[in-house]
Amino acid sequence: YCGAGCQMVLITEDNKITKVLPFHGGDKYLCPKGIKVADFVHNNKRLLRPLIKKGGEFKEASWDEAIDIVSSRLLEIKKNYGPQSFGFMGSGCFTNEEIYAFQKFARAVIGTNNIDSCARICHIPSLKALMKSIGSATMSNTMDEITDTKVIFIAGYNPEVCHPRLYNKKIKVAKSKGSKIIVMDPRATSAAKIADVFLQIRPGTEIPVLNAMANVIINEGLTDDDFIQNRVEGFSELKDHLQKYTPEYAEAISGVPSALIKEAARIYGNSRSSVALWGMGMTQHICGVDNVSALINLVLLTGNVGVENSGFSPVREQNNVQGASFIGALPDIFPGYKSVTDTAEREKFMKLWGVESLPEEPGLTSTVFIPEVLKGNIKALYIAAENPAVSQANLNLIRKALDEVDFLVVQDIFMTETAKYADVVLPACTFAEKDGTFIRLDRAIQMLEPALDPMGETLLDWMIIKKVAIKMGYGHLFPYESTSDIWEEIRKAIPDLAGISYDRLKGGKSIHMPCPDESHPGTAVRYTKDFPRHGGKALVVAVDYRPPAEMTDEEYPILLTTGRDAHHYNTSTITRHISHLMKLKDGAYIELHPEDAALYGISEGDSVEIKSRRGTAVAAAKITDIVMKGTAFVPFHFGDSPINFVTNNALDPISKTPEYKVCSVKIKKV
């Protein structure tokens, strides 16, 4: 599930999981989702044979028949419309090896950079902001250090729900040891309830608060002047820019009392052992990149990076979303965060892969190339272990595109909402049947070893990709006989992984990248001397507040925000097939403030219609003061009435990430 990397032991008998235990190392912790993984692995709704749509209905087929259709249609579309008529969506739950094979297929076989992953809708704004300020986009320190951090700033992130182990075994332990906690969020989450300062913002007003904190830190002399002088660029410009962002100015926009903003700034600014954790509450805005830049500024102004028990932490949600971006499932980045426009890097991959050319221009993001179907520009989609029919914003538009695309291939373990639109569905293995590696949210490489033989006729995802490549005449590009063969090529492609062999990871061990050679222990703390940015210095970036793309009005008077629920994950492709979790939470709900519920005559448990300018969803009412008056919250997991029919597909201009976190709606009891 998540990027915390909790390891488990699967006890098996007769190719069936009989028990799930926490791994004997580490803190021996599994959340309820982890404990019950056997339920979905052995679920009778697993896809076990390829499916081909004939006459609007799916029919079981052999692998040869399915691969013949996929390969012939891809070749036909490539010949008739060119490589740029394709869109590929890889997965944040793939292993690194599968991600690598998938992006290589898109680039070297099809010839397109139109490849993306779920990273697009979570932390690509973090990547863009960090690459600009730091020159790299990974977490600076390790999870274990959080327990000894003196100040923890949690921004737009609900750790109890997103990463239960990180919350219970790191953040709460730090709190018990005296750490100060600052939380900035529209909702009074569990973390907010244990916080020393809770900055409850109106959705979409992060920048005024963060800029005002920076204003206080500068004006009250709380900056680390030596660090700024020696390791930071852009300070004088930022200082001038922030003059208007007083706490009082921020209060007028955000609703956060100026006294609380000052208190938070002083707590953070006075500490040289502070960590900033942020999630999708920061990134899923039309100003998501700027939000992250404003937070990075606080880290750099106070010198809280490059030392232990400190740093910045974009807490990636999905189990290998860090790998999805780092290994290259992005339209502008080769494996290792190397730009596709860099001639030297492109030539390196051409030589490594044995191809004469690779596409030179950045491709389209998934949030762009799926809608481009409706303009006739995208003719084929290949979607692997992703479910955009639930996860993307403005689903009426997205589902229309999935329905109208000339050819759609879906590779997954269940018949997802997206798979229902497919022309061919290819059945893949679950994690319990795989080997390979993941990158934990704090850069630790972990190894996955198979506990079971593949169910039915399912195949490892990289094997499916290889089969298609062979049939298309490109088998020479995929000479792999095992997952380890792919990993060895990855080690050649990415210097930061060169020292991490399978042998070093066996037995539940992990190594933090960068790790340049096999004598290297791995890197716990990054950026101790310089930053991987041109010139070696970091950059503070002046950003301005921009209102959300959509604000409330007389017709749509409620501000809606979305997020996670503790009992489900992403589009609930897996968790809906776990009966224990479905008993705990079996459908969508909407959190409403008591005064709003009273105004609309809504009681606890009532069905509520939620309507925006784009679409409608229905959820059960949950009356609570966790949300502010005039705002509402709905989790995004539930495919029976997806809230993303309602959400806004307005995009951040840099990251092309939708503004899931703010849209205006009207509600009524139904």
Side-chain angles (χ1 to χ4, degrees), residues 497-523:
L497 302 177
I500 305 176
S501 66
Y502 273 15
D503 283 343
R504 295 186 71 188
L505 297 174
K506 287 181 179 178
K509 297 174 183 175
S510 61
I511 299 173
H512 289 86
M513 66 172 194
C515 180
D517 59 68
E518 292 195 33
S519 65
H520 194 284
T523 305

PDB file of all heavy atoms in Angstrom, residues 497-523:
ATOM      1  N   LEU A 497      22.184   4.114  -7.766  1.00  0.00           N
ATOM      2  CA  LEU A 497      21.802   2.756  -7.370  1.00  0.00           C
ATOM      3  C   LEU A 497      22.895   1.735  -7.648  1.00  0.00           C
ATOM      4  O   LEU A 497      22.711   0.539  -7.388  1.00  0.00           O
ATOM      5  CB  LEU A 497      20.519   2.336  -8.107  1.00  0.00           C
ATOM      6  CG  LEU A 497      19.293   3.227  -7.896  1.00  0.00           C
ATOM      7  CD1 LEU A 497      18.124   2.726  -8.748  1.00  0.00           C
ATOM      8  CD2 LEU A 497      18.889   3.260  -6.431  1.00  0.00           C
ATOM      9  N   ALA A 498      24.022   2.187  -8.152  1.00  0.00           N
ATOM     10  CA  ALA A 498      25.060   1.275  -8.641  1.00  0.00           C
ATOM     11  C   ALA A 498      25.570   0.320  -7.573  1.00  0.00           C
ATOM     12  O   ALA A 498      25.952  -0.821  -7.871  1.00  0.00           O
ATOM     13  CB  ALA A 498      26.224   2.080  -9.228  1.00  0.00           C
ATOM     14  N   GLY A 499      25.584   0.749  -6.323  1.00  0.00           N
ATOM     15  CA  GLY A 499      26.146  -0.084  -5.269  1.00  0.00           C
ATOM     16  C   GLY A 499      25.165  -1.010  -4.586  1.00  0.00           C
ATOM     17  O   GLY A 499      25.531  -1.704  -3.628  1.00  0.00           O
ATOM     18  N   ILE A 500      23.918  -1.036  -5.063  1.00  0.00           N
ATOM     19  CA  ILE A 500      22.881  -1.814  -4.373  1.00  0.00           C
ATOM     20  C   ILE A 500      22.580  -3.078  -5.168  1.00  0.00           C
ATOM     21  O   ILE A 500      21.870  -3.054  -6.173  1.00  0.00           O
ATOM     22  CB  ILE A 500      21.604  -0.982  -4.172  1.00  0.00           C
ATOM     23  CG1 ILE A 500      21.946   0.329  -3.437  1.00  0.00           C
ATOM     24  CG2 ILE A 500      20.564  -1.779  -3.399  1.00  0.00           C
ATOM     25  CD1 ILE A 500      20.775   1.273  -3.260  1.00  0.00           C
ATOM     26  N   SER A 501      23.116  -4.184  -4.713  1.00  0.00           N
ATOM     27  CA  SER A 501      22.878  -5.475  -5.356  1.00  0.00           C
ATOM     28  C   SER A 501      21.770  -6.222  -4.633  1.00  0.00           C
ATOM     29  O   SER A 501      21.451  -5.926  -3.472  1.00  0.00           O
ATOM     30  CB  SER A 501      24.152  -6.321  -5.336  1.00  0.00           C
ATOM     31  OG  SER A 501      24.487  -6.672  -3.996  1.00  0.00           O
ATOM     32  N   TYR A 502      21.195  -7.216  -5.309  1.00  0.00           N
ATOM     33  CA  TYR A 502      20.193  -8.046  -4.661  1.00  0.00           C
ATOM     34  C   TYR A 502      20.767  -8.736  -3.417  1.00  0.00           C
ATOM     35  O   TYR A 502      20.084  -8.869  -2.397  1.00  0.00           O
ATOM     36  CB  TYR A 502      19.667  -9.101  -5.639  1.00  0.00           C
ATOM     37  CG  TYR A 502      18.511  -8.646  -6.503  1.00  0.00           C
ATOM     38  CD1 TYR A 502      18.181  -7.300  -6.641  1.00  0.00           C
ATOM     39  CD2 TYR A 502      17.740  -9.572  -7.191  1.00  0.00           C
ATOM     40  CE1 TYR A 502      17.125  -6.900  -7.437  1.00  0.00           C
ATOM     41  CE2 TYR A 502      16.676  -9.190  -7.985  1.00  0.00           C
ATOM     42  CZ  TYR A 502      16.367  -7.846  -8.114  1.00  0.00           C
ATOM     43  OH  TYR A 502      15.314  -7.467  -8.897  1.00  0.00           O
ATOM     44  N   ASP A 503      22.001  -9.160  -3.507  1.00  0.00           N
ATOM     45  CA  ASP A 503      22.614  -9.861  -2.373  1.00  0.00           C
ATOM     46  C   ASP A 503      22.635  -8.979  -1.126  1.00  0.00           C
ATOM     47  O   ASP A 503      22.445  -9.467  -0.003  1.00  0.00           O
ATOM     48  CB  ASP A 503      24.039 -10.301  -2.716  1.00  0.00           C
ATOM     49  CG  ASP A 503      24.071 -11.529  -3.614  1.00  0.00           C
ATOM     50  OD1 ASP A 503      23.036 -12.227  -3.698  1.00  0.00           O
ATOM     51  OD2 ASP A 503      25.115 -11.777  -4.237  1.00  0.00           O
ATOM     52  N   ARG A 504      22.839  -7.687  -1.321  1.00  0.00           N
ATOM     53  CA  ARG A 504      22.908  -6.773  -0.173  1.00  0.00           C
ATOM     54  C   ARG A 504      21.534  -6.518   0.453  1.00  0.00           C
ATOM     55  O   ARG A 504      21.447  -6.033   1.586  1.00  0.00           O
ATOM     56  CB  ARG A 504      23.538  -5.434  -0.581  1.00  0.00           C
ATOM     57  CG  ARG A 504      24.994  -5.530  -1.006  1.00  0.00           C
ATOM     58  CD  ARG A 504      25.575  -4.146  -1.255  1.00  0.00           C
ATOM     59  NE  ARG A 504      25.751  -3.406  -0.004  1.00  0.00           N
ATOM     60  CZ  ARG A 504      26.101  -2.117   0.064  1.00  0.00           C
ATOM     61  NH1 ARG A 504      26.295  -1.423  -1.064  1.00  0.00           N
ATOM     62  NH2 ARG A 504      26.244  -1.515   1.228  1.00  0.00           N
ATOM     63  N   LEU A 505      20.464  -6.830  -0.284  1.00  0.00           N
ATOM     64  CA  LEU A 505      19.103  -6.554   0.196  1.00  0.00           C
ATOM     65  C   LEU A 505      18.410  -7.773   0.794  1.00  0.00           C
ATOM     66  O   LEU A 505      17.349  -7.638   1.411  1.00  0.00           O
ATOM     67  CB  LEU A 505      18.250  -6.004  -0.951  1.00  0.00           C
ATOM     68  CG  LEU A 505      18.685  -4.668  -1.553  1.00  0.00           C
ATOM     69  CD1 LEU A 505      17.834  -4.333  -2.766  1.00  0.00           C
ATOM     70  CD2 LEU A 505      18.603  -3.543  -0.519  1.00  0.00           C
ATOM     71  N   LYS A 506      18.985  -8.939   0.601  1.00  0.00           N
ATOM     72  CA  LYS A 506      18.330 -10.163   1.063  1.00  0.00           C
ATOM     73  C   LYS A 506      18.208 -10.174   2.589  1.00  0.00           C
ATOM     74  O   LYS A 506      18.999  -9.562   3.298  1.00  0.00           O
ATOM     75  CB  LYS A 506      19.098 -11.386   0.581  1.00  0.00           C
ATOM     76  CG  LYS A 506      18.930 -11.651  -0.903  1.00  0.00           C
ATOM     77  CD  LYS A 506      19.697 -12.887  -1.360  1.00  0.00           C
ATOM     78  CE  LYS A 506      19.483 -13.144  -2.856  1.00  0.00           C
ATOM     79  NZ  LYS A 506      20.269 -14.310  -3.328  1.00  0.00           N
ATOM     80  N   GLY A 507      17.194 -10.895   3.054  1.00  0.00           N
ATOM     81  CA  GLY A 507      16.977 -11.000   4.493  1.00  0.00           C
ATOM     82  C   GLY A 507      16.306  -9.795   5.101  1.00  0.00           C
ATOM     83  O   GLY A 507      16.413  -9.561   6.307  1.00  0.00           O
ATOM     84  N   GLY A 508      15.603  -9.022   4.274  1.00  0.00           N
ATOM     85  CA  GLY A 508      14.880  -7.864   4.792  1.00  0.00           C
ATOM     86  C   GLY A 508      15.715  -6.628   4.995  1.00  0.00           C
ATOM     87  O   GLY A 508      15.255  -5.659   5.616  1.00  0.00           O
ATOM     88  N   LYS A 509      16.935  -6.602   4.469  1.00  0.00           N
ATOM     89  CA  LYS A 509      17.795  -5.433   4.622  1.00  0.00           C
ATOM     90  C   LYS A 509      17.366  -4.321   3.674  1.00  0.00           C
ATOM     91  O   LYS A 509      16.722  -4.568   2.654  1.00  0.00           O
ATOM     92  CB  LYS A 509      19.253  -5.814   4.367  1.00  0.00           C
ATOM     93  CG  LYS A 509      19.806  -6.835   5.358  1.00  0.00           C
ATOM     94  CD  LYS A 509      21.209  -7.266   4.964  1.00  0.00           C
ATOM     95  CE  LYS A 509      21.731  -8.338   5.905  1.00  0.00           C
ATOM     96  NZ  LYS A 509      23.051  -8.857   5.484  1.00  0.00           N
ATOM     97  N   SER A 510      17.737  -3.106   4.005  1.00  0.00           N
ATOM     98  CA  SER A 510      17.457  -1.966   3.133  1.00  0.00           C
ATOM     99  C   SER A 510      18.672  -1.057   3.094  1.00  0.00           C
ATOM    100  O   SER A 510      19.466  -1.019   4.043  1.00  0.00           O
ATOM    101  CB  SER A 510      16.230  -1.192   3.618  1.00  0.00           C
ATOM    102  OG  SER A 510      16.436  -0.678   4.916  1.00  0.00           O
ATOM    103  N   ILE A 511      18.814  -0.345   1.979  1.00  0.00           N
ATOM    104  CA  ILE A 511      19.937   0.579   1.791  1.00  0.00           C
ATOM    105  C   ILE A 511      19.380   1.886   1.225  1.00  0.00           C
ATOM    106  O   ILE A 511      18.618   1.875   0.255  1.00  0.00           O
ATOM    107  CB  ILE A 511      20.987   0.000   0.817  1.00  0.00           C
ATOM    108  CG1 ILE A 511      21.556  -1.312   1.365  1.00  0.00           C
ATOM    109  CG2 ILE A 511      22.101   1.008   0.564  1.00  0.00           C
ATOM    110  CD1 ILE A 511      22.469  -2.033   0.389  1.00  0.00           C
ATOM    111  N   HIS A 512      19.768   2.997   1.821  1.00  0.00           N
ATOM    112  CA  HIS A 512      19.308   4.298   1.349  1.00  0.00           C
ATOM    113  C   HIS A 512      20.181   4.777   0.187  1.00  0.00           C
ATOM    114  O   HIS A 512      21.406   4.839   0.299  1.00  0.00           O
ATOM    115  CB  HIS A 512      19.359   5.336   2.475  1.00  0.00           C
ATOM    116  CG  HIS A 512      18.329   5.128   3.538  1.00  0.00           C
ATOM    117  ND1 HIS A 512      18.517   4.295   4.610  1.00  0.00           N
ATOM    118  CD2 HIS A 512      17.076   5.645   3.675  1.00  0.00           C
ATOM    119  CE1 HIS A 512      17.444   4.307   5.373  1.00  0.00           C
ATOM    120  NE2 HIS A 512      16.551   5.122   4.836  1.00  0.00           N
ATOM    121  N   MET A 513      19.532   5.096  -0.919  1.00  0.00           N
ATOM    122  CA  MET A 513      20.257   5.728  -2.013  1.00  0.00           C
ATOM    123  C   MET A 513      20.464   7.211  -1.671  1.00  0.00           C
ATOM    124  O   MET A 513      19.698   7.763  -0.859  1.00  0.00           O
ATOM    125  CB  MET A 513      19.490   5.565  -3.323  1.00  0.00           C
ATOM    126  CG  MET A 513      18.157   6.303  -3.359  1.00  0.00           C
ATOM    127  SD  MET A 513      17.419   6.252  -4.982  1.00  0.00           S
ATOM    128  CE  MET A 513      16.154   7.520  -4.834  1.00  0.00           C
ATOM    129  N   PRO A 514      21.506   7.842  -2.261  1.00  0.00           N
ATOM    130  CA  PRO A 514      22.493   7.317  -3.203  1.00  0.00           C
ATOM    131  C   PRO A 514      23.458   6.320  -2.557  1.00  0.00           C
ATOM    132  O   PRO A 514      23.837   6.476  -1.406  1.00  0.00           O
ATOM    133  CB  PRO A 514      23.248   8.567  -3.661  1.00  0.00           C
ATOM    134  CG  PRO A 514      22.379   9.728  -3.289  1.00  0.00           C
ATOM    135  CD  PRO A 514      21.645   9.293  -2.065  1.00  0.00           C
ATOM    136  N   CYS A 515      23.837   5.335  -3.365  1.00  0.00           N
ATOM    137  CA  CYS A 515      24.809   4.332  -2.953  1.00  0.00           C
ATOM    138  C   CYS A 515      25.652   4.008  -4.181  1.00  0.00           C
ATOM    139  O   CYS A 515      25.297   3.134  -4.975  1.00  0.00           O
ATOM    140  CB  CYS A 515      24.105   3.092  -2.414  1.00  0.00           C
ATOM    141  SG  CYS A 515      25.205   1.788  -1.868  1.00  0.00           S
ATOM    142  N   PRO A 516      26.768   4.701  -4.390  1.00  0.00           N
ATOM    143  CA  PRO A 516      27.498   4.643  -5.665  1.00  0.00           C
ATOM    144  C   PRO A 516      28.283   3.367  -5.920  1.00  0.00           C
ATOM    145  O   PRO A 516      28.576   3.054  -7.068  1.00  0.00           O
ATOM    146  CB  PRO A 516      28.435   5.850  -5.586  1.00  0.00           C
ATOM    147  CG  PRO A 516      28.607   6.098  -4.120  1.00  0.00           C
ATOM    148  CD  PRO A 516      27.306   5.735  -3.496  1.00  0.00           C
ATOM    149  N   ASP A 517      28.644   2.626  -4.864  1.00  0.00           N
ATOM    150  CA  ASP A 517      29.382   1.380  -5.093  1.00  0.00           C
ATOM    151  C   ASP A 517      29.100   0.414  -3.946  1.00  0.00           C
ATOM    152  O   ASP A 517      28.539   0.792  -2.910  1.00  0.00           O
ATOM    153  CB  ASP A 517      30.885   1.638  -5.226  1.00  0.00           C
ATOM    154  CG  ASP A 517      31.482   2.298  -3.993  1.00  0.00           C
ATOM    155  OD1 ASP A 517      31.544   1.638  -2.938  1.00  0.00           O
ATOM    156  OD2 ASP A 517      31.863   3.487  -4.081  1.00  0.00           O
ATOM    157  N   GLU A 518      29.504  -0.832  -4.130  1.00  0.00           N
ATOM    158  CA  GLU A 518      29.110  -1.874  -3.180  1.00  0.00           C
ATOM    159  C   GLU A 518      29.835  -1.791  -1.841  1.00  0.00           C
ATOM    160  O   GLU A 518      29.465  -2.485  -0.891  1.00  0.00           O
ATOM    161  CB  GLU A 518      29.291  -3.253  -3.815  1.00  0.00           C
ATOM    162  CG  GLU A 518      28.307  -3.505  -4.948  1.00  0.00           C
ATOM    163  CD  GLU A 518      28.205  -4.965  -5.349  1.00  0.00           C
ATOM    164  OE1 GLU A 518      28.346  -5.835  -4.464  1.00  0.00           O
ATOM    165  OE2 GLU A 518      27.979  -5.238  -6.538  1.00  0.00           O
ATOM    166  N   SER A 519      30.842  -0.962  -1.729  1.00  0.00           N
ATOM    167  CA  SER A 519      31.483  -0.741  -0.432  1.00  0.00           C
ATOM    168  C   SER A 519      30.815   0.391   0.345  1.00  0.00           C
ATOM    169  O   SER A 519      31.127   0.624   1.518  1.00  0.00           O
ATOM    170  CB  SER A 519      32.970  -0.419  -0.623  1.00  0.00           C
ATOM    171  OG  SER A 519      33.132   0.821  -1.317  1.00  0.00           O
ATOM    172  N   HIS A 520      29.884   1.092  -0.317  1.00  0.00           N
ATOM    173  CA  HIS A 520      29.221   2.254   0.288  1.00  0.00           C
ATOM    174  C   HIS A 520      28.047   1.777   1.155  1.00  0.00           C
ATOM    175  O   HIS A 520      27.276   0.917   0.741  1.00  0.00           O
ATOM    176  CB  HIS A 520      28.715   3.183  -0.821  1.00  0.00           C
ATOM    177  CG  HIS A 520      28.327   4.551  -0.355  1.00  0.00           C
ATOM    178  ND1 HIS A 520      27.152   4.806   0.308  1.00  0.00           N
ATOM    179  CD2 HIS A 520      28.963   5.750  -0.468  1.00  0.00           C
ATOM    180  CE1 HIS A 520      27.074   6.096   0.580  1.00  0.00           C
ATOM    181  NE2 HIS A 520      28.163   6.693   0.122  1.00  0.00           N
ATOM    182  N   PRO A 521      27.870   2.335   2.359  1.00  0.00           N
ATOM    183  CA  PRO A 521      26.788   1.887   3.244  1.00  0.00           C
ATOM    184  C   PRO A 521      25.415   2.439   2.892  1.00  0.00           C
ATOM    185  O   PRO A 521      24.402   2.021   3.465  1.00  0.00           O
ATOM    186  CB  PRO A 521      27.234   2.409   4.612  1.00  0.00           C
ATOM    187  CG  PRO A 521      28.016   3.641   4.291  1.00  0.00           C
ATOM    188  CD  PRO A 521      28.735   3.340   2.999  1.00  0.00           C
ATOM    189  N   GLY A 522      25.360   3.355   1.960  1.00  0.00           N
ATOM    190  CA  GLY A 522      24.116   4.066   1.691  1.00  0.00           C
ATOM    191  C   GLY A 522      24.125   5.415   2.385  1.00  0.00           C
ATOM    192  O   GLY A 522      24.942   5.673   3.280  1.00  0.00           O
ATOM    193  N   THR A 523      23.217   6.301   1.968  1.00  0.00           N
ATOM    194  CA  THR A 523      23.230   7.685   2.452  1.00  0.00           C
ATOM    195  C   THR A 523      21.996   7.962   3.296  1.00  0.00           C
ATOM    196  O   THR A 523      20.872   7.977   2.786  1.00  0.00           O
ATOM    197  CB  THR A 523      23.269   8.665   1.268  1.00  0.00           C
ATOM    198  OG1 THR A 523      24.388   8.351   0.435  1.00  0.00           O
ATOM    199  CG2 THR A 523      23.379  10.101   1.760  1.00  0.00           C
TER     200      THR A 523
END
